[in-house]
Each structure stands twice: as C-alpha cells, then as structure tokens.
Amino acid sequence: MKKLFGVALISLFVLGGCSQEKEEAPELIEVKFKTIPETIKVNKEVELVATVTQGTERVEDADEVTFEIWKEGQTKDQHKKIEAKHTKNGEYKVTYVFKETGKYYVISHTTARGMHNMPKSEVIVK
C-alpha cells in the first residue's frame, strides 16, 4: 500500500511539473512598406518594397508577398495584384508604373512562417 501511495505521489509531482511549462508563442511577422523613390511621379517606374521581419530577424523565406494596388474610388474588380520577388535582407520588391495622378492604396499581403499580415498603405502620385 505504501508503494502505491509513493507511486501516486511521484506521478502527481511529475504531471504537475509538466503542466507548468509554458510554450512561448512565436513573435508575429511585421511588414513595413515603402516606395523608392519616396516621391512618386506619374508614368515613372517606382519600386514597391515590403520589408518582412519577425522580432529582430529579417524574414528571407516568406511563402508569398503580393501587392494589391488600386486608385481611390476604384471597385474591387479594378484592383491589381502583383507578386513580389525576394531580393535581400527580408525585402520583397516589384517595379510598378502608376498611369494617373491621385491617391492610391497598396496592401502588402504577406504570408510567412504560418502567419499572414496585410498592412494597408496610402501613396500619392504626382
């Protein structure tokens, strides 16, 4: 009987210790958008750049980075989607030409490491 009680007590300590271990959730991916050059001129090439990070690490292995682009007032079926290519240092780029002046929106759809982030940015084309 004492052996059974001892085994039960040890089992409680082992199981109790396991339940107190915490799994840390991975840090979320972050996406920062910019254009090169910063000032966008109509009918001139511009680079759309999404820099993807997770904590302090640059993400070099994103599953997908796609830019969704539309001019203010356009309907969903007028949006353009362009897949970006990884260049270096967690940067994903595409070259684009805006055909009209005005306010545009860009969503950087990013899937990496089992997460999705889609920040929306506003750009002005002069």
Side-chain angles (χ1 to χ4, degrees), residues 3 5 27 52 58 75 84 89 95 97 110 117 124:
K3 286 184 182 180
F5 179 72
E27 290 189 61
V52 185
R58 300 266 179 145
T75 61
N89 298 324
T95 301
V97 176
T110 305
N117 192 341
I124 303 297

Side-chain angles (χ1 to χ4, degrees), residues 72-114:
E72 183 177 47
Q74 288 183 325
T75 61
K76 184 78 172 165
D77 62 324
Q78 293 173 301
H79 294 199
K80 293 180 180 144
K81 288 188 178 179
I82 305 169
E83 188 170 342
K85 301 287 183 210
H86 179 256
T87 55
K88 61 181 178 175
N89 298 324
E91 291 183 344
Y92 297 79
K93 298 180 181 181
V94 67
T95 301
Y96 189 73
V97 176
F98 292 90
K99 300 292 185 184
E100 298 177 21
T101 60
K103 184 188 298 185
Y104 287 80
Y105 299 100
V106 179
I107 295 179
S108 307
H109 294 276
T110 305
T111 304
R113 301 178 179 178

Side-chain angles (χ1 to χ4, degrees), residues 45-63:
E45 283 190 349
V46 62
E47 282 189 331
L48 307 179
V49 183
T51 303
V52 185
T53 58
Q54 185 177 33
T56 58
E57 180 186 358
R58 300 266 179 145
V59 174
E60 307 287 330
D61 59 351
D63 298 315

